[in-house]
Amino acid sequence: MYKYSTNFFGKVPALTFHQFKGIESVITCYNNPSLETMPLLKEVYGINMLITTIKHNYQIYLANLKCKEADIKYLNFLINTTNKVLDKTVDIKLVISQIKEIFNIIKNEKISLMINAASGVFSGSILAYCLLRMSGENRVDALNIITNLRLEKNCRLGEYRYEFAENKLVKKLIEPELITIKNKE
């Protein structure tokens, strides 16, 4: 875990990063960065991938456009329709597919990942939690890392969301790989 404590430019926030276990990529979470600062975030911190949790198509379009201008990979990840309540409408297979896609990118490329949780603090935190668990962090450490990354807003993942992430997502993201490894031995 390392933190840039200096605000290099007036509009660029001080960010904390965590390096994934066994992977060159790093992760940070930030609540509501301005799209106008994305080029500066790339220049100052090397941010080369942004994941948002935006619900509105026009905002997704604008984020994608700004990221293309700055040569930053962009994905939108939205786990549920009501950011504060995980309901039964969550398409688990789609969510798992998206998380695997993101993990493959950060595993195979040197990525400085920023998860923007402006409209989905819990969606962004669940994504960060799953990525950390996939990289080898245990449950407790993954939650502590998220808390440290989100210093600007002391965000707790919440017991229900933690259980949802662990039992519905992480279990399906990690266990098949462990089973495959055990069968090869």
Side-chain angles (χ1 to χ4, degrees), residues 16 29 40 52 61 105 109 126 128 134 136 139 149 158 163 174 179-180 183:
T16 301
C29 297
L40 289 175
T52 59
Y61 167 78
I105 293 170
E109 301 175 36
I126 286 173
M134 289 176 77
R139 296 174 183 193
L149 292 177
E163 290 301 320
I174 293 177
I179 291 167
T180 303
N183 288 338

Side-chain angles (χ1 to χ4, degrees), residues 1-2 4 17-28 45-48 102-113 131-132 135:
M1 184 88 53
Y2 54 97
Y4 291 99
F17 290 81
H18 179 79
Q19 184 165 0
F20 290 99
K21 275 189 170 182
I23 300 173
E24 288 187 74
S25 296
V26 296
I27 184 173
T28 190
Y45 297 117
I47 299 293
N48 58 1
I102 294 164
F103 188 73
N104 281 333
I105 293 170
I106 63 172
K107 184 173 72 172
N108 295 317
E109 301 175 36
K110 188 174 182 179
I111 297 294
S112 184
L113 171 64
L131 294 173
L132 290 164
S135 76

Side-chain angles (χ1 to χ4, degrees), residues 27-62:
I27 184 173
T28 190
C29 297
Y30 184 67
N31 187 38
N32 207 16
S34 163
L35 290 175
E36 299 304 317
T37 64
M38 289 312 298
L40 289 175
L41 290 169
K42 181 177 182 175
E43 181 181 337
V44 173
Y45 297 117
I47 299 293
N48 58 1
M49 184 171 184
L50 172 68
I51 298 177
T52 59
T53 57
I54 301 171
K55 288 194 272 185
H56 305 290
N57 287 336
Y58 184 68
Q59 290 175 332
I60 294 169
Y61 167 78
L62 290 176

Side-chain angles (χ1 to χ4, degrees), residues 5-18:
S5 59
T6 306
N7 190 334
F8 295 99
F9 301 98
K11 297 179 181 179
V12 179
L15 298 175
T16 301
F17 290 81
H18 179 79

